[in-house]
Amino acid sequence: MKLNQQPILILAILFILGIFIQDFFSLDQNFVYFIIIICAFILAITFLKNYYLHKAKPYLLGFMFFGIGIILHFFNAFASGNVSVSKNETIIFKIAKKLNSSDKNRKYEGVIQAGKQTFNAVIYIPKSEKELDFLHYYQAQAYISKPKPPQYDFQFDYSKYLLRKNIEYQCYINDKIAEAERKDLSFTEKFSQKRLEVLQRIDEAGMSSRSKEFLKGIILADRTEMDVQTVQDFNRSGLVHFLAISGTHIVVIFGLFYLLLIKILPLKFRKYAIISSLIFIWLFIIFIGFGSSVLRSGLMLSIYFVYVLLQRKPDLLHSLSLSAFIILIFDTQQLFDVGFQLSFCAVLGIYWLNQLILNYFPIQDNWLKKLIFNTVSISVSAQLATLPLVLYYFHQFSFISIAANFFIVPFSEAIIVFSFLMTIFITLNLDFNLMNVAYDFIIQLLLKVIHWFADFNHLFLENIPMNLFEVFALFLIVYFLRFFILKPKLKNFTIVMTAVFAFYILRIGFNSYENEREEVLFHDFSKNQVLSVKKENNVCFWIEENSDQRKIIQFIINPYCSSRRISNYKIKTFPKDVKKVVYNGKIYNFN
């Protein structure tokens, strides 16, 4: 790939770099206005005909798109609007989106009115209350608070995550909820309500709860009530991409609808089949709620077929770059969504490695070989490209994922089609008991197989340390890997091994630095306190008796160990009324 043949990709990279710069440095208003003036000047002079300007035009355009990234992200940054609310308020609210439930509460994103103040918030409703919908306004007494920033650098910054979604508050409702019917539903809210009604119909279908939750997740992008064990199985087996709505789902559903239309319509109306299929896909995307991965997939598919309709050669990188532009122009904060980053890296990986890997397989002279070999090559390409980000964000990796993807993914298209048809039948109130039984049997079998893969604990690694320098080093390895696969010569092998060696030098350096540090920290978790005492590569955690050890491991111990590159830790407990502990001859006092 020659970069000078990919101008849109280069401009997209510079635009994204501008967003990162603004997010990191938070350039002030005066500086941003100065960049606006420069960008406007560049735009004006690009229309002038001059030899020297013509030569400099690519560089000027590059700077302009870099500046546009800074400008858009500056204006897209969340501003609180001087909202001032008391901790206990009577609020009126409507829901905007359902979130994953916790053990005790259902969670929603909503628009809140407290007195004369209007703001966005995450709303917590006890599970004993009935589910909320888009058809009503609700009124209740609520406890309102701002999420606290993390105590330490290794913890997930939930407050910053919410601010990227223009949410500043959390509302906890424990009072009786009154409701009033809405008459002002928007177009998208009507779609969201229809989706909610379909989800409720699926809940009434005659199959097991795990099959219902799987169906809701794989077609309607709703995993809000999925049990912890199923989610864990998909994560540990490396198959979570199969459950999440992604490019595969969009392409399969598009193909199903397109195939149906070309069987009905005459050959001369083929382009209308494409247009109708694209319209259907976008209605489906609106219906399931504009997730970042599905939005990216829909845009790429649409751009690809626009090339086809205009009788121009489709270009994957042009499609990827244009879809990134469209998404980020409307919301630059999407760039910091993990799903967005993984989605685009996967497509780049497929472009960079897939065909080269596929060339090493035997000739695909029938549909079965094409299905299996393409599935494996695409899966390997996408996994290699996303591995650096997976390790950085989740600090875990399963070697069994390679075998699991090889075994499960070839059947994914059939399962997606079956699930889609089941959703249509349930939506239309067509209850075929035999189909319910068949679907339930297949999904139960699938979930058992996935659980079997997830049970290979010795092949599952967690608390893998990874920082941004190591991420860039891993991406370099993936980049150079292409040239070795293309031409497996000593020179290319040496370049790949040099990149691997550089990665390990970095890793050893960071490990040595962290292992030399000694650290004592007091962690607040819910109503409990946790003490951690670190010495070299070992750490001891002191936790209160009867505290939720599983959650403490998930939210404190695992993030701490991956951040501080700890390979050995132990847990000790102490009674709740104890104010001090003695460890290694030292006394530590609790607050």
Side-chain angles (χ1 to χ4, degrees), residues 249-263:
H249 299 70
I250 294 300
V251 170
V252 169
I253 294 169
F254 173 89
L256 181 66
F257 195 73
Y258 177 71
L259 187 64
L260 180 65
L261 287 177
I262 61 174
K263 294 292 184 183

Side-chain angles (χ1 to χ4, degrees), residues 296-313:
R296 187 269 309 163
S297 303
L299 281 169
M300 282 194 64
L301 191 72
S302 300
I303 294 166
Y304 178 90
F305 278 104
V306 166
Y307 276 100
V308 172
L309 292 170
L310 295 176
Q311 297 182 340
R312 295 182 61 185
K313 184 181 177 181

Side-chain angles (χ1 to χ4, degrees), residues 152 154 518-523 529-535 538-543 556-557 560 564 570 583 588 590:
Y152 305 110
F154 63 87
E518 295 187 7
E519 188 174 53
V520 177
L521 297 178
F522 289 91
H523 314 260
Q529 271 204 322
V530 178
L531 166 68
S532 65
V533 182
K534 175 185 177 295
K535 187 173 183 180
N538 300 282
V539 63
C540 180
F541 291 93
W542 292 82
I543 67 175
I556 291 181
I557 295 177
Y560 182 84
R564 302 300 190 258
K570 55 185 175 181
Y583 181 64
Y588 301 97
F590 289 96

Side-chain angles (χ1 to χ4, degrees), residues 10-27 32 35 62-77 160 164 321 323-337 340-341 344:
I10 294 171
L11 294 177
I13 291 170
L14 290 169
F15 176 70
I16 287 169
L17 185 60
I19 296 173
F20 275 123
I21 292 295
Q22 174 59 27
D23 194 76
F24 185 79
F25 290 105
S26 297
L27 303 176
V32 172
I35 294 174
F63 182 83
M64 186 177 76
F65 274 83
F66 174 75
I68 291 171
I70 293 174
I71 295 163
L72 287 180
H73 195 57
F74 171 80
F75 286 106
N76 200 40
K160 188 174 183 179
R164 291 197 185 281
S321 304
S323 60
F325 267 129
I326 293 168
I327 293 171
L328 295 176
I329 283 171
F330 286 100
D331 184 9
T332 56
Q333 300 290 359
Q334 284 286 334
L335 181 60
F336 303 95
D337 180 80
F340 179 93
Q341 295 176 18
F344 276 87

Side-chain angles (χ1 to χ4, degrees), residues 334-381:
Q334 284 286 334
L335 181 60
F336 303 95
D337 180 80
V338 178
F340 179 93
Q341 295 176 18
L342 290 173
S343 181
F344 276 87
C345 278
V347 176
L348 283 172
I350 292 167
Y351 172 85
W352 194 244
L353 297 174
N354 177 56
Q355 191 56 51
L356 301 179
I357 294 173
L358 196 60
N359 290 339
Y360 280 83
F361 285 95
I363 297 173
Q364 296 103 60
D365 51 6
N366 60 59
W367 72 270
L368 183 60
K369 286 183 179 179
K370 286 182 180 179
L371 174 65
I372 294 174
F373 296 157
N374 275 275
T375 298
V376 173
S377 63
I378 288 172
S379 180
V380 171
S381 303

Side-chain angles (χ1 to χ4, degrees), residues 150-157 395 519 521-524 532 541 552 554-564:
Q151 278 182 286
Y152 305 110
D153 59 346
F154 63 87
Q155 293 174 305
F156 175 63
D157 193 341
H395 303 287
E519 188 174 53
L521 297 178
F522 289 91
H523 314 260
D524 294 323
S532 65
F541 291 93
I552 290 174
Q554 181 182 354
F555 295 110
I556 291 181
I557 295 177
N558 284 348
Y560 182 84
C561 289
S562 58
S563 171
R564 302 300 190 258

Side-chain angles (χ1 to χ4, degrees), residues 382-590:
Q383 284 194 66
L384 283 172
T386 56
L387 180 62
L389 288 181
V390 168
L391 296 179
Y392 177 69
Y393 285 115
F394 306 109
H395 303 287
Q396 61 184 36
F397 178 73
S398 176
F399 285 101
I400 201 64
S401 65
I402 299 168
N405 277 277
F406 179 81
F407 186 81
I408 298 294
V409 173
F411 303 102
S412 61
E413 292 187 18
I415 292 170
I416 291 168
V417 170
F418 195 5
S419 299
F420 185 69
L421 292 174
M422 285 294 298
T423 304
I424 290 175
F425 290 143
I426 291 171
T427 302
L428 298 174
N429 284 326
L430 299 174
D431 188 8
F432 298 107
N433 187 57
L434 186 60
M435 284 192 67
N436 289 345
V437 172
Y439 184 80
D440 194 27
F441 173 78
I442 291 170
I443 300 307
Q444 287 293 334
L445 180 62
L446 173 71
L447 294 178
K448 285 178 181 178
V449 172
I450 292 171
H451 180 71
W452 181 77
F453 279 117
D455 258 356
F456 283 85
N457 293 322
H458 54 287
L459 295 177
F460 180 75
L461 304 178
E462 58 183 344
N463 299 337
I464 302 171
M466 186 66 54
N467 62 29
L468 283 174
F469 294 102
E470 292 166 306
V471 167
F472 290 131
L474 281 179
F475 275 128
L476 272 179
I477 295 171
V478 175
Y479 175 79
F480 289 124
L481 193 60
R482 171 188 172 88
F483 306 105
F484 175 68
I485 296 173
L486 182 63
K487 294 180 180 179
K489 296 180 179 180
L490 180 61
K491 177 185 175 182
N492 292 333
F493 177 74
T494 304
I495 292 172
V496 172
M497 293 312 296
T498 302
V500 172
F501 181 72
F503 168 75
Y504 275 105
I505 290 294
L506 270 175
R507 197 162 185 79
I508 290 167
F510 286 118
N511 287 346
S512 299
Y513 172 75
E514 287 295 342
N515 289 343
E516 289 176 2
R517 293 174 61 189
E518 295 187 7
E519 188 174 53
V520 177
L521 297 178
F522 289 91
H523 314 260
D524 294 323
F525 182 77
S526 187
K527 297 179 181 179
N528 306 120
Q529 271 204 322
V530 178
L531 166 68
S532 65
V533 182
K534 175 185 177 295
K535 187 173 183 180
E536 297 179 346
N537 194 29
N538 300 282
V539 63
C540 180
F541 291 93
W542 292 82
I543 67 175
E544 294 179 11
E545 290 177 349
N546 303 319
S547 57
D548 192 335
Q549 191 170 127
R550 180 182 64 83
K551 286 191 175 181
I552 290 174
I553 291 173
Q554 181 182 354
F555 295 110
I556 291 181
I557 295 177
N558 284 348
Y560 182 84
C561 289
S562 58
S563 171
R564 302 300 190 258
R565 299 170 182 263
I566 300 294
S567 56
N568 301 299
Y569 74 85
K570 55 185 175 181
I571 298 173
K572 294 189 176 184
T573 59
F574 61 90
K576 191 170 185 178
D577 56 346
V578 167
K579 299 299 181 184
K580 62 181 67 176
V581 297
V582 179
Y583 181 64
N584 284 348
K586 292 185 179 180
I587 299 173
Y588 301 97
N589 295 304
F590 289 96

